Amino acid sequence: MMDLGRLRALHAVAVHGSVGGAAAALGFTPSAISQQIAKLERETRTVLLERQGRGIQLTDAARGLADTAQRVLALVEQAEVTLEEQRGRATGRLLVAAFATASRGLLPGALAELHAEYPELEVRLLESDPYPAAELVARGEVDLAVVQDWASVPLPVQDGVNRLDLGTDPVDLLLPVAHPLAALDAVPMTELRGQRWTSVPPGNICHDWLLHTMREIGEEPDVRYQVGEFESQIALIAAGLGLGLVPRLGRGPLPPGVAARPVTPRPFRRVYALWRTQTSRRPAITTALDVLRRHWDALDLRSTPDATSARPPAT
């Protein structure tokens, strides 16, 4: 009889493509995942992982076993959902994926409430861009994902995945106070041609949105600085190196020298939660969704004290 935990470890390696990625998703160390795979190899008398340069690859036998593991884990999950539903309370493990600013601006309060009110529920958080997060939900690697997209760049979501809309997150133009556009109360999108930009790196949905938005006004944006965190973008803007279109969720007070201005027409991103349809009856899912909705409703993203306070120096 093969151990379920070892099958789960193999499946995670197949999904994430590395021992490190599997460890991060399951909440273990890479060493623990390697040990699980080694034990599974001894159990099955089969080589499952092979070295390839600095990384690893699954053997053909491992890929077949990982596919079987996926089906087995889906059956186990359904049994766990049924048992949890019968108990009528949120229990077990809940793995949540969320994009960076949701992890900072929404999840801390929501997860703290779940931790305090539901001690039998073990919640884990994995930071992830929406593209892989949506796939992780569909494959059963995470239970719930907080994701975002844009009307012009919708997030692909597979069949069998449910969605709860949380709300919209307005986007401001952040720019140095001395920049000529900072003198405007609102900046028309067409005035953004010919600027230097900061942005998240390619492959991120916000980067795709910036390219699409600027191309709609006939501009191929000059993205000079590609950094993963909005705080790093803001630091570059404060140094006078470029402009940024930055959402409000999870954004702290702006440093001196940085102004925030609304853009017309007003851009915003959509924020929502995803989970698999087959887990919709699970109390941990319904409870977490309720908590997320209440914490989102408590946010005040409609106004920001930084939006009009900073003005260019008088001449």
Side-chain angles (χ1 to χ4, degrees), residues 77-89 91 283:
E77 179 186 59
Q78 195 58 52
E80 291 172 342
V81 168
T82 300
L83 289 172
E84 188 178 325
E85 185 182 21
Q86 291 173 348
R87 288 192 292 267
R89 62 183 185 276
T91 61

Side-chain angles (χ1 to χ4, degrees), residues 18-306:
S18 69
V19 170
L26 296 179
F28 296 109
T29 64
S31 175
I33 296 296
S34 295
Q35 291 175 16
Q36 291 284 71
I37 300 298
K39 290 177 180 177
L40 186 59
E41 287 183 323
R42 291 195 293 270
E43 279 182 347
T44 59
R45 299 183 181 88
T46 304
V47 175
L48 300 175
L49 299 183
E50 293 178 334
R51 288 283 180 186
Q52 186 179 46
R54 294 185 177 182
I56 55 94
Q57 67 175 3
L58 273 69
T59 63
D60 291 341
R63 292 190 186 93
L65 186 56
D67 289 342
T68 301
Q70 182 176 15
R71 295 193 293 271
V72 170
L73 293 171
L75 290 172
V76 171
E77 179 186 59
Q78 195 58 52
E80 291 172 342
V81 168
T82 300
L83 289 172
E84 188 178 325
E85 185 182 21
Q86 291 173 348
R87 288 192 292 267
R89 62 183 185 276
T91 61
R93 175 182 288 191
L94 185 75
L95 180 55
V96 180
F99 59 97
T101 47
S103 298
R104 182 167 60 251
L106 174 64
L107 270 298
L111 297 188
E113 179 178 335
L114 289 171
H115 176 74
E117 299 295 328
Y118 303 94
E120 295 179 88
L121 181 64
E122 178 190 330
V123 184
R124 293 176 178 264
L125 176 62
L126 173 68
E127 186 176 301
S128 173
D129 186 68
Y131 287 142
E135 295 179 1
L136 290 173
V137 170
R139 291 197 299 253
E141 284 299 299
V142 302
D143 303 299
L144 183 69
V146 178
V147 298
Q148 49 101 353
D149 70 3
W150 312 77
S152 58
V153 187
L155 179 68
V157 177
Q158 297 183 28
D159 293 339
V161 175
N162 285 10
R163 165 176 173 158
L164 171 68
D165 291 318
L166 294 173
T168 58
D169 184 17
V171 174
D172 296 309
L173 174 68
L174 301 191
L175 67 173
V177 172
H179 194 284
L181 292 178
L184 303 179
D185 290 329
V187 180
M189 187 67 71
T190 53
E191 292 294 319
L192 299 181
R193 297 189 183 102
Q195 303 294 333
R196 296 192 307 268
W197 292 96
T198 66
S199 174
V200 291
N204 184 297
I205 198 167
C206 290
H207 180 89
D208 292 347
W209 170 77
L210 175 63
L211 296 184
H212 185 277
T213 298
M214 298 306 296
R215 287 167 181 169
E216 281 190 327
I217 61 171
E219 173 89 349
E220 188 65 30
D222 179 9
V223 182
R224 298 281 184 94
Y225 312 104
Q226 299 177 7
V227 292
E229 286 288 342
F230 283 129
E231 291 97 331
S232 300
Q233 293 185 42
I234 293 171
L236 293 166
I237 295 167
L241 296 173
L243 280 61
L245 287 166
V246 180
R248 292 181 181 176
L249 177 63
R251 194 177 84 200
L254 296 179
V258 176
R261 297 290 179 264
V263 177
T264 55
R266 192 63 186 264
F268 61 86
R269 60 182 179 177
R270 307 175 296 195
V271 180
Y272 49 97
L274 299 176
W275 71 98
R276 291 182 304 288
T277 303
Q278 68 182 31
T279 63
S280 293
R281 302 190 322 274
R282 185 184 173 194
I285 295 291
T286 57
T287 298
L289 290 172
D290 181 63
V291 170
L292 283 171
R293 180 169 18 212
R294 285 191 285 102
H295 279 262
W296 177 272
D297 291 343
L299 297 173
D300 184 11
L301 299 175
R302 293 169 297 178
S303 62
T304 171
D306 305 300

